[in-house]
Amino acid sequence: MSAATTRSRTARTARTPVPDRLCAEAVDLARAAAEEAAAPGVVGEHAGVVSEGDRVVTHYFESKEPGYRGWRWAVTVARASRAKNVTLDETVLLPGADALLAPEWVPWSERLRPGDLGPGDLLPTEAEDPRLEPGWTGEDEPPPNSIVSDELAELVDAEDAELTDRPVAISRGSIAAVADELGTRRARVLSRYGLYEAADRWDEAFGPKTPMAQAAPATCVSCAFLIPMAGSLKQAFGVCANEISPADGHVVSLAYGCGGHSEAAVMPAPVRPADHALDTMRVDEYALRPARDGGSVPPEADGASEDLGHS
C-alpha cells in the first residue's frame, strides 16, 4: 500500500470516525435513558447514530413533545478501552435542522422604539454611550493669568457682593462656573456621533427625499413657520410651527417642504388672455333688403320684379 493511500484513509478517518460497534448497538440503553429524562410517550423513533470520537456515540430519537417540532433527543453513550460494557454519558433535547426556535435574544435597551417610554418610566443611559461625551473636564482649567483666575475671581465676588445679595452657588474660576455662564452646565453633551445619528434620523423622517417634500411648492428655508435652531445643526435643521403641517412640532430639514408653506397662500393674479385678433364670438346682423329710403331701389317694387328683388 502506498504512502498516499495511507494518508488519504487516515484523513477520512479523522474527519468521519467510524462509530464504535458496541456503542452503536446500544439503542435500547439510549432509548431507556431518553424515556427516563422525557415525559411518557414523547420519545419517537430512532433517528440515527453519530460518532463523537473513539468509543463515543450519540443516538438521536425523534421528539413528540408538543411545541418542539423538529427537536431530537440526543443520548450519548461511551465505552472504556478494552471494556465490553457501554455506559451512559448524557441525555439532552437538541434542535434539529428544521426545528422551531425562539428568536435571538435582544437586550431591552435595543428593543425600545420611539413611543415606548411612558409617564413614570426611566431610561438610564450607559456610561459609555457613544452618543454622549463629557460636557467639561479638568483638562480645560484656565491658566493662572486668565481673566477667571483665583485672584480675579475673589475680586469679582467681592464686587458682586456689594452690588447684589444674590447667593453664588458655584465659585468663579472653575470650569463648572464657566459652563454655567455659557448655559451648558451639563455633565455630558452630544458627541459628534450622536449629532450625526440624530441628523440622519430627522432627515429620514422630514427630509428632502420624502414624498411630501417632493410635491411641496417650496422648501422650509423660505417658510415663515420655521423656527431656527441653535448650535451646529442650525445650518441644516429647524422646528416647524405650522399646526396644519404634518411636521408641526418636529425637527425638519431646511430642504423639507409641504403644502402649508407660508408663501404658498400668496397666489399670483390670474393671467388675462389677450383679445382675439379676429372676433368670431359676435353675431353681425345683415338686412335681407336695403333700406327703403336709400339707394336706387324704389320704395315700392312692381309686381313682376318683386320676387326677383330688383327693378
Side-chain angles (χ1 to χ4, degrees), residues 8 15 24 101 111 129 183 224 236 245 271 305 310:
S8 176
R15 289 195 300 269
L101 301 176
R111 295 197 302 267
D129 195 323
S245 172
V271 179
S305 62
H310 57 80

CSV table of all heavy atoms in Angstrom, one decimal, residues 8 15 24 101 111 129 183 224 236 245 271 305 310:
chain,number,residue,atom,x,y,z
A,8,SER,N,-4.5,9.2,2.8
A,8,SER,CA,-5.9,9.5,2.5
A,8,SER,C,-6.9,8.8,3.4
A,8,SER,O,-7.9,9.4,3.8
A,8,SER,CB,-6.2,9.1,1.0
A,8,SER,OG,-7.5,9.3,0.6
A,15,ARG,N,-11.8,12.8,9.8
A,15,ARG,CA,-12.9,13.6,9.6
A,15,ARG,C,-14.2,12.9,10.0
A,15,ARG,O,-15.0,13.5,10.7
A,15,ARG,CB,-13.0,14.0,8.1
A,15,ARG,CG,-11.9,15.0,7.7
A,15,ARG,CD,-12.2,15.6,6.3
A,15,ARG,NE,-12.3,14.6,5.3
A,15,ARG,CZ,-11.3,14.2,4.5
A,15,ARG,NH1,-10.1,14.7,4.7
A,15,ARG,NH2,-11.5,13.3,3.6
A,24,ALA,N,-22.8,1.7,19.1
A,24,ALA,CA,-23.8,1.9,18.1
A,24,ALA,C,-25.0,0.9,18.3
A,24,ALA,O,-26.2,1.2,17.9
A,24,ALA,CB,-23.3,1.7,16.7
A,101,LEU,N,-37.3,27.4,16.6
A,101,LEU,CA,-36.5,28.0,17.6
A,101,LEU,C,-37.1,29.4,18.0
A,101,LEU,O,-37.7,30.0,17.1
A,101,LEU,CB,-35.1,28.1,17.1
A,101,LEU,CG,-34.3,26.8,16.7
A,101,LEU,CD1,-33.0,27.1,16.2
A,101,LEU,CD2,-34.3,25.9,17.9
A,111,ARG,N,-34.4,46.9,22.2
A,111,ARG,CA,-35.8,46.6,21.8
A,111,ARG,C,-36.7,47.9,21.9
A,111,ARG,O,-37.8,47.9,21.3
A,111,ARG,CB,-36.4,45.5,22.6
A,111,ARG,CG,-35.7,44.2,22.5
A,111,ARG,CD,-36.6,43.1,23.0
A,111,ARG,NE,-37.0,43.2,24.4
A,111,ARG,CZ,-36.3,42.7,25.4
A,111,ARG,NH1,-35.2,42.0,25.2
A,111,ARG,NH2,-36.7,42.9,26.6
A,129,ASP,N,-22.0,55.4,26.5
A,129,ASP,CA,-22.9,55.6,25.3
A,129,ASP,C,-22.1,56.4,24.3
A,129,ASP,O,-21.6,57.5,24.6
A,129,ASP,CB,-24.1,56.4,25.8
A,129,ASP,CG,-25.2,56.4,24.8
A,129,ASP,OD1,-24.9,56.4,23.6
A,129,ASP,OD2,-26.4,56.3,25.1
A,183,GLY,N,-24.4,78.6,29.7
A,183,GLY,CA,-25.6,77.8,29.5
A,183,GLY,C,-25.5,76.4,29.2
A,183,GLY,O,-26.4,75.8,28.6
A,224,ALA,N,-42.1,81.0,6.7
A,224,ALA,CA,-42.2,81.8,7.9
A,224,ALA,C,-42.5,81.0,9.1
A,224,ALA,O,-42.3,81.5,10.3
A,224,ALA,CB,-43.2,82.9,7.7
A,236,ALA,N,-28.8,73.2,9.1
A,236,ALA,CA,-29.5,72.2,8.3
A,236,ALA,C,-30.9,71.9,8.8
A,236,ALA,O,-31.6,71.3,8.1
A,236,ALA,CB,-28.6,70.9,8.3
A,245,SER,N,-49.4,71.7,9.2
A,245,SER,CA,-48.4,70.9,8.6
A,245,SER,C,-48.2,69.5,9.3
A,245,SER,O,-48.4,69.5,10.5
A,245,SER,CB,-47.0,71.6,8.6
A,245,SER,OG,-46.0,70.8,8.2
A,271,VAL,N,-53.8,85.3,-15.1
A,271,VAL,CA,-53.4,86.0,-16.4
A,271,VAL,C,-54.6,86.2,-17.2
A,271,VAL,O,-55.4,85.3,-17.5
A,271,VAL,CB,-52.3,85.1,-17.1
A,271,VAL,CG1,-51.9,85.8,-18.4
A,271,VAL,CG2,-51.2,84.8,-16.2
A,305,SER,N,-91.3,92.3,-60.6
A,305,SER,CA,-89.9,92.2,-60.1
A,305,SER,C,-89.8,92.0,-58.6
A,305,SER,O,-88.8,92.1,-58.0
A,305,SER,CB,-89.1,93.5,-60.5
A,305,SER,OG,-89.7,94.6,-59.9
A,310,HIS,N,-85.3,93.1,-57.8
A,310,HIS,CA,-84.7,94.3,-58.5
A,310,HIS,C,-85.8,94.8,-59.5
A,310,HIS,O,-86.7,94.1,-59.8
A,310,HIS,CB,-83.4,93.9,-59.2
A,310,HIS,CG,-83.6,92.7,-60.2
A,310,HIS,ND1,-84.1,92.9,-61.4
A,310,HIS,CD2,-83.4,91.4,-60.0
A,310,HIS,CE1,-84.2,91.7,-62.0
A,310,HIS,NE2,-83.7,90.8,-61.2
